[in-house]
Amino acid sequence: MAPVSIDVAKCVLVIGATSGIGRALALAISELPSRPTVIAAGRRQDRLKELEEKNLKTLQMDVSSDPETLKKTVDSLLVKYPNLDAVILSSGIQYQHDFNKDVDINQIAREINVNYTAVVSIISMFMPHFLKLSAEGRSSFIIPITSGLALMPGPGVLNYSASKAALSSFTTSLRVQLENTKVNVIEIIPPLVESELHDEQGTTEKLSKFWMPLDEYTELTVDGLRKGDIHVSSGHAATVLERYEKAGLKKPFGS
Ligand SMILES: NC(=O)c1ccc[n+]([C@@H]2O[C@H](COP(=O)([O-])OP(=O)(O)OC[C@H]3O[C@@H](n4cnc5c(N)ncnc54)[C@H](OP(=O)(O)O)[C@@H]3O)[C@@H](O)[C@H]2O)c1
């Protein structure tokens, strides 16, 4: 399929837009020359209110809600925004686990649910709508955010890395399943980027010495989305991705 630019999107939902990468992308996309409607979603109401003041639409949403609640949220969103044609899935959490010590299995399950199961569930709930748009000749976009750690795992965050590897694998296969439709599946693969992701683990100060500044990251990512890249990556993650691509390892079985 020829590259399709995010510039054609009319209405973009960003889940996980109350901070970090999701927030920055939501604001940057709302400023594109095409001026799409942008809906920012997340749990923190005060953050959503601040985004409303910047002219974004908002949706309070917890991706770890039960499937019935999630389905109702998606269905009512589509009634309100029938033109919705892009979903960026930026919600994510990260914990450190040390298998030499006690491991909190509830945290393991929560991490897999938020970073993988919930993302896949939400995508499945948008599929009938996107396939309908495709049948009408309209493009749409499913854009999960994985991580460089999906390709090269971080031992301290082993379950996070595994959750992102699962999402990356799913995304690659989903693109193949949808190759005869106008649904574009794009994987955003960030390197270590300035955000609030590591605050809960107390590693922010240490990581801030190495991370890519959020403004720089956002500019590179929006450029990739506008070019229609299927893998939008930068920094160290792009270097690792290049090694995978050279070895033919980012291709699905049978291709
Ligand atoms: N920063 C990095 O170094 C880096 C590197 C590679 C990949 N990533 C990925 O990039 C994405 C964005 O992360 P970030 O770095 O921008 O982190 P962040 O600043 O912590 O943002 C995470 C976002 O996820 C939302 N979220 C978390 N749990 C949620 C839930 N149950 N329901 C709805 N929203 C939820 C948060 O909103 P609420 O708390 O308001 O719900 C927040 O908006 C994540 O998928 C992350 O894994 C980040």
Side-chain angles (χ1 to χ4, degrees), residues 11-15 17 26 37-41 56-59 77 81 84:
C11 179
V12 182
L13 168 67
V14 184
I15 302 177
T37 301
V38 175
I39 309 158
L56 265 54
K57 308 289 181 200
T58 60
L59 169 73
L77 192 71
Y81 300 101
L84 196 154

Side-chain angles (χ1 to χ4, degrees), residues 183-194:
V183 187
N184 299 279
V185 181
I186 295 166
E187 181 180 358
I188 294 182
I189 312 171
L192 181 64
V193 177
E194 171 186 8

